[in-house]
Amino acid sequence: MIVFSPGIDQMLIVTISALAAAASFIAFAWPYLNKTEQQEKYQRVIQKKRKALFTETREEIEKRQSARESLSIRFSIQQKLGAYGEKLRDQMLQAGIRDPKAPMNFLLAKIIIPLVLAAFTLLLMSKGNKDFSVSEIYLGCLIMIGLGFAIPSILVKNHIQKRQQEINITFPDSLDMMLICVQGGIGLEQTINRVADEVSEHAPILAEELGILSAEMGMLNDRRAALQDFARRVGSGAAKSFATAMIQAEQYGTSISNAMRVISEELRDARMGEAERKAASLPPKLTVPMILFFLPALFIVILGPAFLQAGASGAGP
């Protein structure tokens, strides 16, 4: 048995107490540090978008003055890939990937990943202990090529769905805040910018998109183009409904506050309907886990003592 001296015991207690206090402080301060990081990320995205808009405007002026062909990556993608390139660029923006080279990287991934998986499969099947026929090797390589070709699209699609779900959840509350600001006499651009600052902590994705929309409305002369770009960049039903309502309100001179109120109620009803749909689909999803995991354990608990008692009575004299 090991016995520590009183001095060592006191040192050990002090050390453990200091580590526990440090861990408690880190756990308390971590959410605030995370909020600060999200706020800084939001500010970086907005500043970068403002700078990009300024650069694009300056390039457009230089293009008109010198009649030179634009070197913008966006137009080069449209010229090289046509409608597919524009659709691919919109998908990258909807996934939150704002790098202008993202569509090209996506296409390269669709080429490189299938080749790598096919080569890896070919190596495993040729060096393995089991002998495979040529048709089996070709079939395995084709399956890996198809899987590798689909992996980038699946990842981007899942990321788009997660972003759109988060935006659809937080957008009705943001519309209520916009409605209060508009009824208070604040302009639409200042309203969007202010709401983006307010929701940047608990809804960073929506805050980034609203901040970019505010920057475009401030830098571009055409507010309708900024709203259409917002709807295309986000891609969710909430963003499209909001952009359509704002464009129609500005075009026909109707009240923006009334349009916001109607859109907010519709989006809130849609959010409640989605929650009810998920709640209704929960029992069928729980059927298989209950059959596989809960029922065997329940049978063991109920019938186990009876089998043990029967075995003990059968083994007796």
Side-chain angles (χ1 to χ4, degrees), residues 227-299:
L227 290 169
Q228 290 176 347
D229 187 49
F230 170 74
R232 185 175 64 252
R233 186 176 62 249
V234 176
S236 65
K240 292 180 180 179
S241 300
F242 171 74
T244 302
M246 294 299 101
I247 291 174
Q248 290 180 352
E250 184 176 0
Q251 183 177 0
Y252 298 108
T254 58
S255 176
I256 295 179
S257 60
N258 292 335
M260 284 187 178
R261 185 180 296 106
V262 173
I263 293 299
S264 177
E265 292 177 356
E266 291 179 356
L267 294 180
R268 189 173 286 104
D269 293 339
R271 184 175 62 181
M272 182 60 66
E274 182 67 18
E276 292 176 353
R277 185 190 65 81
K278 290 183 178 180
S281 63
L282 188 60
K285 292 180 181 179
L286 290 177
T287 303
V288 176
M290 288 182 64
I291 294 174
L292 293 178
F293 300 105
F294 295 127
L295 291 182
L298 185 62
F299 289 152

Side-chain angles (χ1 to χ4, degrees), residues 11-29:
M11 182 62 68
L12 183 62
I13 293 173
V14 170
T15 303
I16 295 175
S17 301
L19 292 176
S24 302
F25 177 76
I26 292 174
F28 176 77

Side-chain angles (χ1 to χ4, degrees), residues 151-314:
I151 284 176
S153 299
I154 293 174
L155 294 177
V156 171
K157 185 177 180 180
N158 290 338
H159 206 60
I160 291 174
Q161 290 179 352
K162 290 180 181 179
R163 284 175 57 88
Q164 290 182 354
Q165 287 177 359
E166 182 175 348
I167 290 175
N168 290 334
I169 290 173
T170 57
F171 203 63
D173 299 330
S174 300
L175 276 178
D176 292 337
M177 298 173 64
M178 291 183 191
L179 178 60
I180 295 173
C181 294
V182 169
Q183 289 179 345
I186 304 177
L188 183 60
E189 178 187 345
Q190 291 78 13
T191 296
I192 294 174
N193 190 18
R194 186 167 183 176
V195 172
D197 292 335
E198 292 293 333
V199 303
S200 60
E201 293 185 359
H202 64 276
I205 296 177
L206 180 60
E208 289 181 6
E209 299 298 340
L210 291 178
I212 294 174
L213 174 60
S214 176
E216 289 183 345
M217 293 177 68
M219 296 292 295
L220 301 177
N221 295 326
D222 191 0
R223 182 177 294 182
R224 180 176 180 178
L227 290 169
Q228 290 176 347
D229 187 49
F230 170 74
R232 185 175 64 252
R233 186 176 62 249
V234 176
S236 65
K240 292 180 180 179
S241 300
F242 171 74
T244 302
M246 294 299 101
I247 291 174
Q248 290 180 352
E250 184 176 0
Q251 183 177 0
Y252 298 108
T254 58
S255 176
I256 295 179
S257 60
N258 292 335
M260 284 187 178
R261 185 180 296 106
V262 173
I263 293 299
S264 177
E265 292 177 356
E266 291 179 356
L267 294 180
R268 189 173 286 104
D269 293 339
R271 184 175 62 181
M272 182 60 66
E274 182 67 18
E276 292 176 353
R277 185 190 65 81
K278 290 183 178 180
S281 63
L282 188 60
K285 292 180 181 179
L286 290 177
T287 303
V288 176
M290 288 182 64
I291 294 174
L292 293 178
F293 300 105
F294 295 127
L295 291 182
L298 185 62
F299 289 152
I300 291 174
V301 171
I302 294 175
L303 301 178
F307 282 112
L308 292 177
Q309 187 176 2
S313 62

